[in-house]
Each structure stands twice: as C-alpha cells, then as structure tokens.
C-alpha cells in the first residue's frame, strides 16, 4: 500500500525556515550600515600610502637628478669609449746625430673586463697563445684590475712578436673583450756603451701616476739616467680617439679627438766614436773615463765599465736577469763617474799645490825628502823608497813627492785644506744632469768628531795632503777642477745636452798666475815626469798621475812593497790619471780611473793615451816596434 506525503506540512516547515533566514539577513544589513571602522587604522593606511609615494619621488629624484649626469655618462660610455693613442718618445742622439735611444713598434694584448664574458677562460687562452704561465697572467690581472675602469683596456702583455700577433688576430673574434694594442717601445742600439748615461724606461708605477695626472696605466716613464732627468721633454703627449661600439662591443667607428704629439728630440754633446774608443781602451777593467771640454763644460765621453744592457729594462727585465745584475760583484749597475767615490791619491796634489801658492808658500822653497817622515811612532813613507832629495813645488808635482806635501800640508793645517778644497768644488755635487750623484767627502775636525767622537790628529792631515785618508772624490769632480785650471778658474756644470747653456757654479779661489803655474807643472809632468806616458810632440799635453791605496798596510817582512800581482784584487790600489790635451785649437780634459788597477802611470796612463789617439790621431812620433815586447814590471805608484 502506498502512503501519500503531506505536502502542506513540508511547505509550512520550509516557509518557516525561509522567514528565519530573511530575518537574519535583515538584521545583519541593519548592523553593517551602522558600522564604523577604527579611525587609527585609516590614518595608518594613509601614512603608508604617503610614505610609499615619498620614497618613489625621492628615488626618482636621486636617479634622474642627483645621479642623472653620472648615469647618462655611463650610458654614453657604453656606446662611446675613449682610446688613447700613445705618443712616440723623443729620440736621443749624439753630437753627430747618431741614434742612441730610438723607438720601435711593439704589440700588446689588453682585456676590457666589461666586454669579457668569461675572464678565467680568456686568461687561459692568453697563456696558451703567449706561453706565459697562467699564474703570472692572473697575478698581473689582479694587480692592475682596480687601476683602470671596467670599460677601459687593461694591458696584460706589452711586447708580442709579429708572428704571434698574426695568430691572435685570426682568433681574437672568438674572445670578446680582447684587444691588440699597438705601441712604441724604447730601443737602445748601443746597449752597454751608453747605459749609465741614458738609463732606461719602464711602466709607470702607482706613485708616479699619483704624482702626475697625465700618466695612465701602461705608460712608459724614465727610471734612470737622462730618461729620468729629461722625462718632460722626452715623453710627448698622447692622442685620443672617440670609439663608437655596439652592445656586443664591436667597433662601429672612430673619430680622432686629439692628435698625439711626439717628445722632443735631444742631441747630446757626447761623441759615439769617442765613447767606443774610451770603452775599448779600458779593456774590460772596472773603471771610468771622462772627456770634457774645459771652456764650455760639455762632456764628450762618459764611460763606466762594466755596464748593463738597458734594453733588458725597456722590454721588462726578468727576475733571473735582475738577480744576475744585482748580485754581480763587479757592480755593473753602478755609475762610477758620479756614484762611486774614491781616494784621489796624488791627483789631489794639484789641489794642494794651488792652495799652497794662494796661502803664500814660495814655489822655490825646498823640502828634503829622505823617503819617509816620522811622526811620533808613525812612519809616513814616500812612494820612492830612497827619497827624492831636495824638492821645490814644481819638482814635487813632477816627481809626485809625498814627503813635500806631508810637510807643507802639516804647516797649513786641515782647516785651510778643508776650506780651500770645498771652494774648489769638492765635497758637493757638480750638478750634472744625472740622478743620484754623490758629493764625495772633504774631511774636517767637526766631521770627525761627529762621525767618530774623536779629535783630529796631525797624521790624518798628512794623509789628506796626498789624497788619502778620509778624502773621497768622484771622477767628474776631478774633471771639473782640472777644467777650471785651464779656463781661468771657473767651475763649470758638466753638460750632457749639446745646446745646454754654459753654467758657472763657482770659482777656484786662485789668481791666474797660480793656475798657470799648476798647468805648466802638469805639462812638464807629461813631458818627462810620472805622466810621461801621455806625452806627445805633436800636441800640448799635461797630466798628473795618482795611486790611491785601499788598504792601510802594503809592506811585508823586510819592508818590501808588495807588487800589484802579489795582492788580492780587492786590496790593489786604484789607478788615476788627470790630463789635459790641446791640438789645433781643440782642448780636452781626460780623466781616467781604474779600480784596483795598480799604478796610475802604468795602468790609467795607457788608457788616456788611447783616448788622445782618437782625439788627435795616432802619434806620428810614437816608436814603431816590429813585434810587440812585454813591458817591464815597474812598481811605480804614480
């Protein structure tokens, strides 16, 4: 049986539920219309919106106004870049326009970090191309990367041979950021011959770039010699290109902004042929030769031996080569003309003779030389064991008598010697245009007290009187003084540049007749005295030899003077000769110093003679031997 449902009851129940829902909804509507949100929340929301707006405005101002110019410049730099054009360095030539310092084309390899997508791989490729160890290239990169901007070239290799350049050029398109740079490199065709005069160039360091705004990474500057002293004249001025590039750093075009200007060409007063003759005359001995014009102060030769190849530094010297030069016991880096100081030996007697005449000593007054002088327990010997007998001033110079100058020096005293020697230019630099010139030393009472804390003694005056003891001079100082004897007493600045102005830096405090007396004594010394090795009949020659002891004791048992060949090299005497020569209106001063060479007459004299053979031609009166014969051994300190 089917039961029917009561629909009316269901409707009633449904209607009852609907009415209840409608009443709930109406109640909520009424309550929501009267709802008010908290006032603090609205204020907070408004502040947050305002703050965000303020931050956006400030950021917009910062980017568009405050740093707008900088960002615009960076954007421009991404499109336009500056490429430097290296200016050729000025050449250096001798007095006959023979090239002493030149320029050659060199190729380098640089990297622009901003354009390089994979720096480690790129550096590895550079190492593979060049054969340079990868670690060395990384060291160079790390050292220099903060010295240039990311969009500027960072020079990694400075000198690549042409064959390697051709290979790199064919592959460089695969390595974004790499550039081949064309530059000039310094070249010194004469190598060791002028190394101490010209010096060398190398890349500017941080201190040099900080001191000179015109310098940039990779620029070459003078480090020694004339390259350093004449840096401003030789450097020149770089040019500039504006280079337009695309987003991949490909060059779209170049515009020349400023043309490069090469450095000034410098002509020296030096004679390349004379320099070679003096170098050959030294024959590999450690020493130096100075040839100077006494009237102008111009230097015609300035030789130091041994020397070094300055091309090593211009190309970037290796650690091995640097260590070899630095540890060489013959000191090839030392410029002996201006940086080495020596006891002058008997050459100093020229200064003493000039002083004695000016202080009133009669040139005819004689001193007896028995071969030695005793002072207390000390014995001061003359070079001639048996003595010279009675000697006046001119014969004391000709024979180089030590005893004469011992006694005369003691008579005047160290104070007058010091004053006069300093007035003659000793004890201070000559002003030559080369760096690191030494002053030498003229000792005094005050100097010894400051240096050793002890008073001066008479025996030390004896030593100073013959150019020994504490007295130290440079060869160029001797050249300036001998020139002053000839030019009327003017102490001239030694000039290396041919068109330099004659410069007088002092005067020898002596009358013309005093200077003439000393010059005549030198002439007689070259004609028949200790300097006769340089004498010749076809020219007017004067000279004074000197032998400077470097050890205090030279005697063995039996009071016998040791021969040079019996002594160790470091204990042998220095050999000096100071000369002047004149022929056909041309006058030169020639100074020779040979380290540990022995006697001035036997060692330094022949060197000076060969120099005069170049200046004046071979001596037509020199004896001609069919076969060379060994010279007799003569132990003559002067």
């Amino acid at each position: 049986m089917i039961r029917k449902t009561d629909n009316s009851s269901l409707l009633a129940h449904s209607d009852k539920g609907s009415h209840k829902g409608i009443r709930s909804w109406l109640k909520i509507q009424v309550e929501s219309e009267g709802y008010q949100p908290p006032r603090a929340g609205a204020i907070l929301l408004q502040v947050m919106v305002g703050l965000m707006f303020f931050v956006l405005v400030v950021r917009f101002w910062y980017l568009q106004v405050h740093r707008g110019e900088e960002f615009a410049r960076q954007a421009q730099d991404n499109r336009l870049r500056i490429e430097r054009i290296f200016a050729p360095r000025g050449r250096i030539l001798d007095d006959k326009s023979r090239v002493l310092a030149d320029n050659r084309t060199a190729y380098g390899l640089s990297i622009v970090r901003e354009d390089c997508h994979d720096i480690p791989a790129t550096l590895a490729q550079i190492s593979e191309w060049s054969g340079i160890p990868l670690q060395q290239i990384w060291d160079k990169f790390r050292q220099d990367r903060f010295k240039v901007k990311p969009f500027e070239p960072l020079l990694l290799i400075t000198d690549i041979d042409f064959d390697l350049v051709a290979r790199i050029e064919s592959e460089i398109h695969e390595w974004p950021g790499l550039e081949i740079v064309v530059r000039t490199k310094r070249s010194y065709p004469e190598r060791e011959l002028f190394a101490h005069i010209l010096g060398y160039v190398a890349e500017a360091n941080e201190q040099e770039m900080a001191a000179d705004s015109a310098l940039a990474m990779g620029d070459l500057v003078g480090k020694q010699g004339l390259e350093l002293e004449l840096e401003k004249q030789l450097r020149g001025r770089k040019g500039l290109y504006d280079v337009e590039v695309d987003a991949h750093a490909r060059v779209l075009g170049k515009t020349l902004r400023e043309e490069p200007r090469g450095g000034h060409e410098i002509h020296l007063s030096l004679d390349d042929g004379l320099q070679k003759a003096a170098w050959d005359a030294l024959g590999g001995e450690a020493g130096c030769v100075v040839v100077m014009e006494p009237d102008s102060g111009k230097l015609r030769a300035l030789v130091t031996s041994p020397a070094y190849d300055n091309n090593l530094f211009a190309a970037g010297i290796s650690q091995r080569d640097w260590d070899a030069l630095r540890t060489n016991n013959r000191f090839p880096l030392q410029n002996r003309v201006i940086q080495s100081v020596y006891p002058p030996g008997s050459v100093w007697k020229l200064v003493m003779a000039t002083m004695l005449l000016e202080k009133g000593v009669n040139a005819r007054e004689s001193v007896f030389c028995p071969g030695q002088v005793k002072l207390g327990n000390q014995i001061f010997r003359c070079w001639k064991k048996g003595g010279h007998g009675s000697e006046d001033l001119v014969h004391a110079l000709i024979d180089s008598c030590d005893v004469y100058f011992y006694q005369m020096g003691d008579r005047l005293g160290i104070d007058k010697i010091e004053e006069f020697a300093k007035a003659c230019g000793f004890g201070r630099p000559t002003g030559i245009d080369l760096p690191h010139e030494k002053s030498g030393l003229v000792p005094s009472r005050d100097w010894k007290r400051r240096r050793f804390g002890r008073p001066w003694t008479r025996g030390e005056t004896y030593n100073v009187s013959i150019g020994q003891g504490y007295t130290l001079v440079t060869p160029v100082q001797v050249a300036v003084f001998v020139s002053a004897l000839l030019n009327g007493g003017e102490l001239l600045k030694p000039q290396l540049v041919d068109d330099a102005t004659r410069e007088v830096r002092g005067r020898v405090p002596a009358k013309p007749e005093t200077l003439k007396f000393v010059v005549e004594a030198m002439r007689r010394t070259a004609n028949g005295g200790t300097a006769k090795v340089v004498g010749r009949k076809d020219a007017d020659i004067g000279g004074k030899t000197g032998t400077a002891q470097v050890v205090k004791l030279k005697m063995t048992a039996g009071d016998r003077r040791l021969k040079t060949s019996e002594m160790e090299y470091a204990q042998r005497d220095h050999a000096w000769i100071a000369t002047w020569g004149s022929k056909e209106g041309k006058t030169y001063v020639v100074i020779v110093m040979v380290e540990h060479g022995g006697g001035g007459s036997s060692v330094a004299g022949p060197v000076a003679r060969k120099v005069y053979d170049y200046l004046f031609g071979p001596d037509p009166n020199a004896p001609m031997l069919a076969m060379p014969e060994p010279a007799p051994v003569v132990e003559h300190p002067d």
Side-chain angles (χ1 to χ4, degrees), residues 182-227:
V182 181
R183 316 173 60 195
T184 59
K185 277 279 188 178
R186 208 55 158 164
S187 172
Y188 304 101
E190 296 293 352
R191 300 179 180 273
E192 296 91 346
L193 193 60
F194 288 88
H196 288 103
I197 302 164
L198 301 178
Y200 55 86
V201 298
E203 288 190 23
N205 56 37
E206 293 184 17
Q207 293 79 11
E208 290 163 335
M209 287 188 289
D212 191 339
S213 60
L215 292 176
M217 181 62 59
D219 284 352
L220 300 177
V221 296
K223 298 287 187 176
Q224 283 291 344
L226 289 175
E227 295 278 24

Side-chain angles (χ1 to χ4, degrees), residues 35-307:
Y35 174 77
Q36 295 292 330
R39 187 172 182 82
I43 294 174
L44 179 61
L45 181 61
Q46 293 173 7
V47 169
M48 290 179 63
V49 171
L51 184 61
M52 291 176 61
F53 180 76
F54 176 76
V55 170
L56 289 173
V57 170
V58 171
R59 183 64 177 171
F60 177 80
W61 173 86
Y62 176 77
L63 295 175
Q64 296 294 324
V65 180
H66 181 67
R67 298 192 64 185
E69 183 179 348
E70 177 184 349
F71 290 140
R73 185 173 62 252
Q74 289 181 6
Q76 183 74 356
D77 287 341
N78 288 333
R79 186 179 68 88
L80 289 178
R81 297 178 180 176
I82 295 176
E83 180 180 311
R84 295 183 180 88
I85 310 171
F86 289 95
R89 198 169 176 85
R91 297 191 305 169
I92 303 177
L93 309 110
D94 80 342
D95 64 330
K96 296 179 178 62
S97 296
R98 289 171 287 203
V99 179
L100 306 180
D102 204 353
N103 301 303
R104 62 177 176 85
T105 301
Y107 299 92
L109 191 61
S110 64
I111 184 172
V112 179
R113 288 173 289 156
E114 191 175 80
D115 301 332
C116 185
H117 306 313
D118 190 344
I119 289 178
T122 302
L123 297 186
Q125 182 60 45
I126 294 173
S127 176
E128 192 274 328
W129 277 333
S130 64
I132 299 174
L134 180 58
Q135 184 60 46
Q136 185 176 333
I137 295 177
W138 267 109
D139 292 342
K140 175 71 172 174
F141 177 80
R142 293 190 184 100
Q143 178 183 350
D144 295 344
R145 61 179 173 172
F146 297 116
K147 299 176 184 178
V148 297
K149 298 176 182 178
F151 54 84
E152 292 181 337
L154 190 160
L155 194 63
L156 293 176
I157 305 178
T158 60
D159 203 355
I160 309 173
D161 63 62
F162 186 77
D163 291 339
L164 182 56
V165 170
R167 178 188 172 190
I168 294 174
E169 186 72 40
S170 66
E171 302 177 24
I172 199 169
H173 65 279
E174 300 176 2
W175 299 94
L178 284 185
E179 296 179 357
I180 294 176
V181 182
V182 181
R183 316 173 60 195
T184 59
K185 277 279 188 178
R186 208 55 158 164
S187 172
Y188 304 101
E190 296 293 352
R191 300 179 180 273
E192 296 91 346
L193 193 60
F194 288 88
H196 288 103
I197 302 164
L198 301 178
Y200 55 86
V201 298
E203 288 190 23
N205 56 37
E206 293 184 17
Q207 293 79 11
E208 290 163 335
M209 287 188 289
D212 191 339
S213 60
L215 292 176
M217 181 62 59
D219 284 352
L220 300 177
V221 296
K223 298 287 187 176
Q224 283 291 344
L226 289 175
E227 295 278 24
L228 173 60
E229 290 295 311
L230 305 179
E231 170 66 23
K232 291 184 178 180
Q233 297 96 304
L234 291 169
R235 184 193 300 173
R237 187 180 65 189
K238 294 188 289 289
L240 296 175
Y241 273 127
D242 286 328
V243 182
E244 185 177 2
V245 297
D246 62 12
H248 299 286
R250 290 189 292 260
V251 176
L252 301 178
K254 287 186 179 183
T255 304
L256 181 64
R257 179 194 296 187
E258 186 176 346
E259 291 186 0
R261 186 180 66 190
H264 295 292
E265 200 167 76
I266 304 295
H267 287 257
L268 302 185
S269 58
L270 300 173
D271 182 336
D272 179 59
L274 178 59
Q275 188 88 353
K276 288 179 180 176
W279 174 274
D280 292 341
L282 278 172
E285 294 285 347
C288 58
V289 179
V290 183
V291 181
M292 182 174 174
E293 290 183 355
D295 293 328
S296 65
K298 291 182 179 180
L299 293 164
R300 293 304 182 187
L302 203 68
V303 173
T304 290
S305 173

Side-chain angles (χ1 to χ4, degrees), residues 308-379:
Y308 60 94
D309 184 356
N310 42 4
N311 288 295
L312 293 175
F313 290 90
I317 190 167
S318 66
Q319 188 63 45
R320 183 182 64 180
D321 289 335
W322 169 246
D323 290 339
L325 288 173
R326 185 174 53 86
T327 59
N328 191 317
N329 58 11
R330 284 165 57 84
F331 309 108
L333 295 173
Q334 187 85 354
N335 186 344
R336 287 166 165 81
V337 175
I338 64 167
Q339 294 175 336
S340 296
V341 291
Y342 309 93
S346 292
V347 169
W348 188 253
K349 292 170 183 175
L350 298 173
V351 180
M352 293 295 298
T354 308
M355 182 196 71
L356 292 175
L357 291 172
E358 286 302 309
K359 300 302 181 183
V361 173
N362 191 329
R364 296 180 180 179
E365 181 180 350
S366 295
V367 170
F368 183 76
C369 171
Q372 64 182 35
V373 174
K374 190 173 183 181
L375 182 63
N377 295 326
Q378 290 182 292
I379 295 178

Side-chain angles (χ1 to χ4, degrees), residues 415-477:
D415 297 332
K416 291 182 179 179
I417 296 175
E418 176 209 1
E419 179 186 10
F420 191 84
K422 288 182 175 179
C424 291
F426 296 98
R428 58 182 169 88
T430 64
I432 188 174
D433 292 325
L434 290 175
H436 316 305
E437 181 186 7
K438 294 292 182 64
S439 297
L441 175 63
V442 177
S444 66
R445 298 180 190 275
D446 291 339
W447 172 84
K448 188 187 176 187
R449 191 176 293 109
R450 291 193 308 270
R451 180 69 176 80
F452 299 105
R454 297 196 302 269
W456 190 264
T457 65
R458 288 178 63 193
E460 288 166 334
T461 303
Y462 275 30
N463 285 330
V464 171
S465 299
I466 62 166
Q468 294 287 166
Y470 302 119
T471 310
L472 297 171
V473 303
T474 63
V476 74
Q477 287 175 334

